Amino acid sequence: MRLSRYFLPILRETPKEAEIVSHRLMLRAGMIRQESAGIYAWLPLGLKVLNNITRIIREEQNRAGAVELLMPTIQSADLWRESGRYDAYGKEMLRINDRHDREMLFGPTNEEMVTEIFRAYVRSYKDLPLNLYHIQWKFRDEVRPRFGVMRSREFLMKDAYSFDLTAEGARHSYNKMFVAYLRTFARMGLTAIPMKAETGPIGGNLSHEFIILAETGESEVFCHKDFLSYAPPSANVDFDDAAALQGIVDSWTSRYAATSEMHDAEAFAAVPEDAKLSARGIEVGHIFYFGTKYSEPMKAVVNGPDGKEVVVQMGSYGIGPSRLVAAIIEAGHDEAGIVWPETVAPFHVGVADLKVGDAGTGKVCGELVQQLENAGLDVLHDDRDERPGAKFATLDLIGLPWQILVGPKGLAEGHVEVKRRKTGEREMLAPADAVARII
Ligand code: ATP
Ligand code: MG
Ligand code: MG
Ligand code: MG
């Protein structure tokens, strides 16, 4: 992609309205634009990151056996009356009347709708287990939208819903998502800690929030330091092996980790003093087993092996991809700007022509871009007629993992400069070696 033809509206000044670093950097790097309070347009650079995040989420959901569909954003109020949540949900729900004065709403979550779809088609226990997910925009009229896309009113959510015949089966489905989540966040370069979370009126002990530690996080959390060095489960995990999955979940839940709502000061006191972490965190995912909370009132039943009707056991599993963009920046930035992990970076490499108009630098940049693209990398070619200083600042700000700086002086000696954004390491290399260094 040639920067001169791209749309990257970089801001020179630090926006005053942004209180936290990820919000400031997303605005400055031209990733998002607020259109109304808590409602954002995703500009090209931001959208690329968001798409990389949803790609990783999809891959891990599919690996764990979940099946993707797409439900609408607008739902009917009647569906929510069936579960009793239409009145209970309160002001966070955006309610809409259509031209026939039918009551509709912009979905804040999809338990009711997915249960409606399930009950329309699934009749037999033989069709279970089933896990259906989608990645769709949600709307919650948050009292205090803030911190940019970290707490917005319109936001993207991956929400999955599992259906099982028995509580034991539901536990297996829960564990599949638990393990998939560990892998998902690790692939984005994040250390997400599963913490005991509130289960609400249904009770039971099966709910975990996945939390990224960050000073700007809105949750107060308490956990054991060991979590920071746990290795994520391997890609070869057999998701059908219930005992193996339970083993992984047990090892990830054997140490103390809880949000303030679930904090047990006595249990935390038993954690060795030098292993105690009390910190702030960002909720990036939340998984939940709720049994028959929706299937019972909405009559989602299947015929069991003995021919009798069984109300299905359900769970739901959310991740916030748009919040994750901000959380990844909170976890990876420095004075000069964003530092993307390779897996979610909007481009892998920035190639900067430091003297646009110079036949030599132009030719070498063209060749480098072509070779890198042929190797399957996404390349941003800074071919703007700008001072080198401005180009360095832009590349640092938008945080691409690699930079290749091509100037006439270096070229006279046969070299380009390769810079690693994360460490700041620089090397002078022949163009062919620069390509080999990165691919
Ligand atoms: P929070 O406690 O931050 O309000 P929540 O517990 O209400 O979040 P869930 O209903 O568990 O959120 O939704 C699943 C996921 O959706 C959350 O873990 C989070 O990643 C994301 N999410 C929820 N609300 C927002 C929001 N206002 N803006 C961005 N992402 C959100
Ligand atoms: Mg909330
Ligand atoms: Mg929460
Ligand atoms: Mg939650």
Side-chain angles (χ1 to χ4, degrees), residues 374-390:
N374 286 346
L377 300 187
D378 213 346
V379 185
L380 185 65
H381 177 183
D382 189 349
D383 61 342
R384 297 169 307 160
D385 190 8
E386 283 271 2
R387 287 173 304 106

Side-chain angles (χ1 to χ4, degrees), residues 223-270:
C223 68
H224 196 293
K225 226 166 54 196
D226 278 5
F227 278 109
L228 299 177
S229 52
Y230 273 22
S234 114
N236 303 319
V237 170
D238 178 359
F239 281 91
D240 291 326
D241 185 341
L245 287 192
Q246 189 63 56
I248 297 172
V249 172
D250 286 347
S251 75
W252 279 84
T253 50
S254 62
R255 296 258 188 277
Y256 189 86
T259 58
S260 57
E261 299 89 44
M262 292 295 285
H263 186 46
D264 173 351
E266 220 172 285
F268 191 57

Side-chain angles (χ1 to χ4, degrees), residues 56-66 131 133 158 160 172-188 192 210 232-235 237-239 245 248-249 252 285 287 317-319 324:
I56 293 174
I57 292 172
R58 265 196 187 91
E59 285 172 10
E60 296 302 330
Q61 289 292 293
N62 296 347
R63 191 199 304 281
N131 183 328
Y133 79 95
K158 182 290 298 182
H172 184 186
S173 293
Y174 184 91
N175 289 349
K176 286 182 191 172
M177 289 293 107
F178 189 109
V179 171
Y181 275 36
L182 292 174
R183 288 192 44 78
T184 301
F185 299 125
R187 284 184 61 189
M188 297 171 191
F210 287 75
S234 114
V237 170
D238 178 359
F239 281 91
L245 287 192
I248 297 172
V249 172
W252 279 84
I287 61 178
Y317 315 90
I319 295 184
L324 270 168

Side-chain angles (χ1 to χ4, degrees), residues 140 142 149-152 155 157 283-286 318 320 323:
R140 293 183 186 176
E142 302 275 356
V149 294
M150 189 79 89
R151 178 166 305 282
S152 48
F155 61 96
M157 196 198 284
E283 177 190 331
V284 288
H286 194 170
R323 176 177 288 181

